[in-house]
Amino acid sequence: MDSRFGWMALLLMVGSVLLAGCGGDGGRATVKGRVTFGGTPVSDGAINLIPSDSQLRRVGGSIADGTYELTGEQSGPMPGTYRVEIYGFEPIGAPAGAEPGDAEAESATRQFIPPQFNTNSTMELNVDSSLVEKDFDLTP
């Protein structure tokens, strides 16, 4: 009886150590860097990482003032290889005939980054550590 209790205690301790190692961010990495288009920082945009491995989840986030950071349980990627999509948005102003003060019309934007950097992108990112710093200098 004493021997069985000792083994059970040992198994519980080992299990606790293993579970403690699985907590936190679940192995997700932080990926951050700068994004420029034609040498100018992308002031408003989005970055998406589409995994090569179908078992991994697609992640994405915003680009603000030329920088991005994907981190944490929701937006941090797991280790693997990803195809990168980058989008940039610029204001186009209210269309002719819009009512003065129409916030939606006044905040209209257009996506200006060419398809070779988003929908047709061949850019890849290898997430192989807990912190990956990668700048994207897009040339039109």
Side-chain angles (χ1 to χ4, degrees), residues 24-89:
D25 64 2
R28 295 190 177 279
T30 294
V31 178
K32 63 182 183 174
R34 293 180 322 105
V35 180
T36 60
F37 181 71
T40 303
V42 174
S43 61
D44 180 24
I47 183 168
N48 294 320
L49 303 181
I50 295 87
S52 300
D53 180 348
S54 64
Q55 300 298 312
L56 297 176
R57 220 171 31 138
R58 175 184 180 149
V59 296
S62 62
I63 300 168
D65 300 321
T67 63
Y68 72 95
E69 184 170 349
L70 306 175
T71 188
E73 186 62 32
Q74 294 302 313
S75 63
M78 296 293 287
T81 302
Y82 294 81
R83 185 173 68 83
V84 179
E85 294 182 346
I86 296 177
Y87 298 86
F89 307 104

Side-chain angles (χ1 to χ4, degrees), residues 81-85 115-125 136:
T81 302
Y82 294 81
R83 185 173 68 83
V84 179
E85 294 182 346
Q116 73 255 30
F117 301 115
N118 43 65
T119 55
N120 298 335
S121 172
T122 58
M123 296 183 296
E124 284 193 343
L125 177 68
F136 294 96

Side-chain angles (χ1 to χ4, degrees), residues 79-110:
T81 302
Y82 294 81
R83 185 173 68 83
V84 179
E85 294 182 346
I86 296 177
Y87 298 86
F89 307 104
E90 62 186 5
I92 58 172
E99 292 291 320
D102 181 346
E104 185 174 328
E106 290 174 0
S107 64
T109 61
R110 75 173 184 93

